[in-house]
Amino acid sequence: MKKTALSVEQECSFVEFSDIDDATVRQERGDAMEDTKQSNKKFHMNILYVVWLLGLFLFLLVMGNWYCVKVYGGNLFYIAFGKNEVSAEEKAFLKERGTLIYGETLDSFPAQIYDPMMESENGFAIDLMNQLAWEMDTTIEFQPVIWADSFTLLENGTVDMIQISYSEERVEKYYLSAPIYRSKGVVFFAR
C-alpha cells in the first residue's frame, strides 16, 4: 500500500510541474537574470571601492614618505623594511674596534638628557644608538662629555661618535650620517 501512495505522489508532482505555462517560466528566468545583474553590479562596485581605497592608501604612503624625507631626513620605507646589512669591511672594522663609544652631551634635550630620578640617560639619540648597536650587531657604550671637549675627544679617539649639526667644514673632516632630527634655534633676551 505504501508503494502505491508514493507512485501517486510522484505522478501528482509531475503533473503539477507540467501544468506551469511558458509565461511563468519566462518570468522566473527574467527574475533570475535580474538578480544576477544586481549581484554583478554589487561585485563591480565592491571592486571599485577596494581599488579606490588601495589608491588612497598608496597616495598617503608616498606623501607621508615625502614629508618624512623633507622634514626629518628619514625614509619610511627604510624604517619599514628593517635591519640594514653591514658590509664585510664594516664587520671587520667593528670586530677589530670592539665596543664603540658614543660621546653624549647630557644637556641636549630632547635628543639626550640625564634623568637623575632614573639615574640613566634618556632621549631619542640614546634610543637611536641602541638601535644602531642592534643593527650592526655590536655594543655601544655611552660616555658623558662636555660639548666644548667633544671634538677633541673625537679626534684623539676617546669617543667614536658624537652628535653634531651639519656644516660644509664638518663634512670635509668627519663622516656624517643622514640627519636624525631638525631643530630651530630661538634667541632669548632678558628684559
Side-chain angles (χ1 to χ4, degrees), residues 12-26:
C12 290
S13 62
F14 179 76
V15 170
E16 287 175 19
F17 180 73
S18 63
D19 284 344
I20 298 175
D21 63 352
D22 287 340
T24 307
V25 171
R26 275 192 233 113

Side-chain angles (χ1 to χ4, degrees), residues 5 15 30 48 70 72 76 82 95 113 126 148 169 171-172 187 190:
V15 170
L48 287 175
K70 184 167 178 61
Y72 301 108
L76 286 178
K95 187 174 183 179
I113 192 164
I126 305 301
E169 298 82 29
V171 167
E172 292 174 10
V187 178

Side-chain angles (χ1 to χ4, degrees), residues 65-187:
N65 188 58
W66 172 82
Y67 179 79
C68 285
V69 168
K70 184 167 178 61
V71 173
Y72 301 108
N75 186 329
L76 286 178
F77 299 109
Y78 165 75
I79 294 166
F81 296 110
K83 191 173 180 179
N84 263 347
E85 292 299 319
V86 180
S87 71
E89 182 182 331
E90 292 167 330
K91 286 179 183 178
F93 170 79
L94 292 170
K95 187 174 183 179
E96 177 188 320
R97 186 67 180 199
T99 299
L100 298 175
I101 300 170
Y102 175 64
E104 55 181 338
T105 54
L106 294 176
D107 58 352
S108 180
F109 183 78
Q112 51 204 19
I113 192 164
Y114 182 77
D115 185 353
M117 291 182 69
M118 296 184 72
E119 298 180 357
S120 66
E121 306 87 6
N122 285 318
F124 69 85
I126 305 301
D127 295 336
L128 183 65
M129 288 299 120
N130 288 327
Q131 177 69 23
L132 186 63
W134 175 79
E135 286 195 24
M136 296 188 319
D137 195 24
T138 191
T139 306
I140 296 178
E141 284 184 11
F142 301 103
Q143 179 177 332
V145 298
I146 298 169
W147 172 246
D149 299 335
S150 59
F151 287 101
T152 305
L153 295 171
L154 183 63
E155 289 172 8
N156 70 21
T158 305
V159 297
D160 297 305
M161 300 175 281
I162 60 172
Q163 178 187 321
I164 59 173
S165 57
Y166 176 88
S167 74
E168 293 297 325
E169 298 82 29
R170 290 175 180 166
V171 167
E172 292 174 10
K173 196 170 185 178
Y174 305 107
Y175 292 109
L176 299 180
S177 70
I180 59 171
Y181 73 97
R182 299 182 194 275
S183 67
K184 297 180 180 181
V186 178
V187 178

